[in-house]
Amino acid sequence: METPNLNYINDLSGDNEEFKAKIINILKRELPAEVEVYQKEMQKADYNQAAQAVHKLKHKVSILGLEKSYYIASDYEDNLNDNSVALKSDFESILKAMEEFVIQL
């Protein structure tokens, strides 16, 4: 499994530490909220709404440098739109890794 990293954020921010800090703070604020939305929709088995939550989370996957995981998230989003939970455990493992990484920032 890939490991979340700050490579994309570092490239994007260059030497601007203030900009980098803002991006990290946005991640710290938005990621837990978006994961919570996803989890609530899954508990309700509202797969269309869960797919929308996954769509939003895909951007965080990309920002944290998880290139292969992005494709898993994308396929999982498609699965949810087809009322299938195939790849659920893979996607949720990605979310867990992302949350653990962001907490440490």
Side-chain angles (χ1 to χ4, degrees):
M1 182 174 174
E2 293 175 290
T3 303
N5 61 71
L6 295 177
N7 295 345
Y8 177 78
I9 293 172
N10 289 334
D11 289 345
L12 187 64
S13 61
D15 292 332
N16 189 334
E17 290 298 319
E18 184 179 335
F19 182 68
K20 179 179 173 180
K22 283 182 183 183
I23 294 172
I24 291 171
N25 285 332
I26 290 169
L27 274 172
K28 286 182 164 190
R29 183 179 67 245
E30 290 183 358
L31 182 63
E34 290 177 13
V35 170
E36 185 177 340
V37 169
Y38 161 75
Q39 291 171 338
K40 285 182 180 179
E41 298 304 340
M42 289 302 291
Q43 286 174 351
K44 295 188 294 187
D46 188 338
Y47 299 140
N48 287 326
Q49 289 299 315
Q52 289 183 18
V54 170
H55 182 79
K56 289 181 77 175
L57 284 159
K58 279 192 320 189
H59 301 292
K60 304 291 188 294
V61 172
S62 180
I63 288 170
L64 290 174
L66 301 169
E67 295 176 26
K68 294 175 186 170
S69 297
Y70 180 88
Y71 293 107
I72 293 170
S74 185
D75 289 345
Y76 182 53
E77 177 186 4
D78 292 342
N79 292 346
L80 288 170
N81 281 320
D82 292 335
N83 288 314
S84 167
V85 294
L87 297 175
K88 179 180 186 283
S89 63
D90 293 336
F91 179 73
E92 290 181 357
S93 293
I94 294 164
L95 288 184
K96 182 178 180 192
M98 290 170 52
E99 288 179 301
E100 289 173 357
F101 180 77
V102 168
I103 286 172
Q104 297 175 15
L105 295 176

